[in-house]
Amino acid sequence: MKKLMYIVSSAVFLMACESRTYEEISDKTPVAELVTYNKDVKPIIDANCISCHSSTGSASFLSLTNYNQVKNNIDNIINRISRPTGDPLKMPQGGSLSPSQITIITKWKADGLSEN
């Protein structure tokens, strides 16, 4: 009985630890096929990021208008879109990507950052 209580309390403790893993930021719906930039990621970036992250946007210092720019900044992008609501560094500002959009972007990185 003591062993069972130890296991249960350990599991509760570990689940309470703050940790942002792929599983936590995704919607748990597996994306079966290979994620590519042009087919999957670019539409998300265009719809949610380009208004600020372009040469004429308020965040023009970090342009995300093409494959190489997005690929070279993927770790920062994932970090920013994965932050909890209320975090001042969360992107996009004033909103949030859906869990499925975050899953697509994180899987794109896991799949090797394919362009086509």
Side-chain angles (χ1 to χ4, degrees):
M1 186 65 165
K2 280 185 174 183
K3 194 174 198 176
L4 178 63
M5 290 301 294
Y6 176 75
I7 292 171
V8 170
S9 63
S10 295
V12 169
F13 174 76
L14 291 174
M15 290 187 326
C17 293
E18 177 62 27
S19 171
R20 304 279 296 170
T21 64
Y22 171 79
E23 289 77 21
E24 290 173 306
I25 62 173
S26 72
D27 67 354
K28 312 254 189 306
T29 305
V31 179
E33 59 188 58
L34 179 72
V35 175
T36 66
Y37 175 76
N38 287 324
K39 178 177 57 91
D40 304 297
V41 176
K42 186 177 186 324
I44 296 170
I45 298 294
D46 287 350
N48 296 281
C49 309
I50 293 301
S51 61
C52 295
H53 292 280
S54 65
S55 61
T56 59
S58 60
S60 60
F61 58 89
L62 179 59
S63 184
L64 299 174
T65 58
N66 64 53
Y67 167 75
N68 284 323
Q69 292 169 337
V70 175
K71 180 183 86 166
N72 293 336
N73 289 288
I74 191 61
D75 291 328
N76 186 39
I77 292 168
I78 291 172
N79 174 293
R80 293 303 204 82
I81 63 175
S82 303
R83 289 176 177 264
T85 301
D87 186 317
L89 299 178
K90 181 171 182 61
M91 291 290 150
Q93 288 186 341
S96 183
L97 298 182
S98 71
S100 62
Q101 290 172 317
I102 294 171
T103 297
I104 288 168
I105 292 172
T106 55
K107 185 166 185 312
W108 177 55
K109 180 183 177 191
D111 285 351
L113 304 169
S114 297
E115 184 172 8
N116 296 311

